[in-house]
Amino acid sequence: MSNRDNNVRPHPDYQELLKRHPGNPILKPEDWPYAANSVFNPGAIRLVHTGEVLLLARVEDRRGISHLCKAVSADGASGWKIDSRPTLLPDRKLRPEELWGIEDPRITWMGDLGRYAVTYTSFSGGGPGVSLALTDDFKSFDHYGMILPPEDKDAAFFPKLFGGHWAMIHRPLRASGEAHIWISFSPDLRHWGSHRILLPARHGAWWDARKIGLSPPPIETSEGWLLLYHGVRTTAAGSIYRVGLALLDLENPVKVIYRSSQWIFGPHSLYERVGDVGDVVFPTGFVLGDDGDTLQVYYGAADTTIGVATASVKELLAWLKKNNYLGTS
Ligand code: BMA
């Protein structure tokens, strides 16, 4: 542990682009209506019909197996109504690929389908892969099963079609331990192809060397698709999970326009530094405010609790342009 805690602010030269909510962590295992070891890495969406914020949290029990549970709030920070029972449980009989649980959901509203898509990690006997379920109400789910085999995770859909094809970002892992961010396309959400690397991990001492992955689903802005992505820095004391930015072309999302040189958000406060897995901030969801600019970013803190931080899309884009470096070395 370093001396960084809740009371120590970053140097003023570092612009604080993501501002932590003063009530963080906003959701903790103690808040759950039933026994939970940890609640973290939530998918997030603003419900189309009510405007409420819905989180689908990863809940880990004391066997080590995760399931998903929803929490709904009017302002996205307080007054959470949490399901009294798990919302989506792994089912090892019906879906054997969910043997060791389901984790880290991302949610996209698919306007053309009029349904929500939940992409999540299924922890199978052969490793983690990407699964998909569609839902109208977060009560019943249409399961598509595992759509990308192990090892793959950190997947989310774009909300729109590109030339008649759906697009998904995901993160396969190589046997060497290296992991880049990929993009793939599908005519039907079930069969995926045209795979290619979108953002390669950097090399050497970089904050995002060797292993990176998508954080929340892509955010549509007037200048392109804004990505928040996590980089994993391996140190003698363990891994540090931090978050950077990239911007993709609006019409052609395989084209990367900018990529941040520095990270914009890292483990800093005590609840991010200490927990089941210390030094982890892991954003998995966002909602955009009515002003079309204010982002609420939801993240897992130290694989134990859930935090929210606020950012301005305009500020993020302006900063990204000034801190752009597309190289990898
Ligand atoms: C990653 C993910 C997350 C987790 C993070 C830190 O590999 O699988 O579920 O938050 O590790 O432990």
Side-chain angles (χ1 to χ4, degrees):
M1 273 285 296
S2 82
N3 62 355
R4 280 184 275 174
D5 62 27
N6 282 321
N7 303 315
V8 180
R9 311 306 307 163
H11 189 279
D13 281 357
Y14 294 121
Q15 203 181 337
E16 199 190 13
L17 291 162
L18 273 164
K19 297 177 182 65
R20 290 167 176 85
H21 190 280
N24 273 358
I26 53 162
L27 285 167
K28 307 180 281 301
E30 306 89 277
D31 302 327
W32 239 248
Y34 56 90
N37 169 61
S38 47
V39 298
F40 57 117
N41 299 1
I45 198 88
R46 189 178 293 287
L47 290 170
V48 175
H49 299 298
T50 65
E52 295 166 298
V53 175
L54 177 144
L55 299 187
L56 199 54
R58 169 177 172 189
V59 179
E60 193 185 285
D61 64 26
R62 285 175 73 162
R63 296 171 304 163
I65 308 288
S66 294
H67 63 266
L68 310 182
C69 183
K70 77 171 188 283
V72 177
S73 148
D75 65 3
S78 60
W80 294 98
K81 289 171 279 167
I82 306 171
D83 278 3
S84 56
R85 291 147 54 122
T87 309
L88 189 55
L89 278 167
D91 189 328
R92 59 200 290 176
K93 284 207 182 95
L94 281 179
R95 297 183 295 278
E97 71 278 8
E98 297 180 356
L99 178 66
W100 288 318
I102 55 176
E103 307 176 350
D104 303 353
R106 272 72 164 189
I107 308 171
T108 303
W109 168 249
M110 310 292 269
D112 286 297
L113 300 178
R115 308 193 79 186
Y116 302 97
V118 184
T119 43
Y120 57 92
T121 302
S122 285
F123 197 166
S124 80
V130 175
S131 282
L132 168 64
L134 296 186
T135 184
D136 300 318
D137 53 9
F138 292 92
K139 288 183 186 143
S140 64
F141 295 84
D142 284 341
H143 289 276
Y144 279 56
M146 194 180 270
I147 53 171
L148 288 175
E151 291 225 351
D152 210 330
K153 51 168 70 172
D154 298 326
F157 289 164
F158 288 80
K160 289 187 169 166
L161 289 153
F162 299 94
H165 284 77
W166 300 104
M168 168 168 57
I169 293 178
H170 58 108
R171 206 293 304 277
L173 183 72
R174 295 179 65 186
S176 63
E178 239 187 352
H180 309 300
I181 295 177
W182 288 65
I183 187 167
S184 302
F185 294 87
S186 169
D188 59 5
L189 299 179
R190 200 177 282 282
H191 304 96
W192 292 87
S194 304
H195 313 289
R196 61 159 92 176
I197 292 180
L198 183 65
L199 279 187
R202 288 186 171 122
H203 305 296
W206 281 93
W207 69 273
D208 54 354
R210 278 181 66 73
K211 201 173 178 188
I212 60 173
L214 181 69
S215 288
I219 302 164
E220 188 170 7
T221 77
S222 56
E223 301 193 35
W225 296 97
L226 182 62
L227 298 189
L228 276 75
Y229 73 95
H230 60 262
V232 186
R233 174 77 188 273
T234 312
T235 77
S239 299
I240 308 175
Y241 279 71
R242 301 178 176 118
V243 180
L245 297 176
L247 192 75
L248 312 179
D249 188 272
L250 260 190
E251 307 302 324
N252 181 18
V254 302
K255 192 170 155 213
V256 181
I257 307 172
Y258 302 118
R259 176 177 183 174
S260 63
S261 50
Q262 307 173 38
W263 73 83
I264 60 160
F265 192 62
H268 207 275
S269 296
L270 206 56
Y271 56 90
E272 299 162 346
R273 302 223 55 216
V274 179
D276 276 7
V277 186
D279 282 327
V280 175
V281 288
F282 201 85
T284 33
F286 76 90
V287 298
L288 190 61
D290 291 337
D291 60 3
D293 185 58
T294 308
L295 275 183
Q296 281 177 203
V297 176
Y298 294 90
Y299 64 100
D303 283 11
T304 302
T305 60
I306 293 173
V308 62
T310 306
S312 148
V313 171
K314 269 194 226 108
E315 269 181 37
L316 292 178
L317 289 172
W319 179 89
L320 177 55
K321 281 177 202 168
K322 279 197 240 143
N323 292 275
N324 172 44
Y325 177 63
L326 288 172
T328 55
S329 44

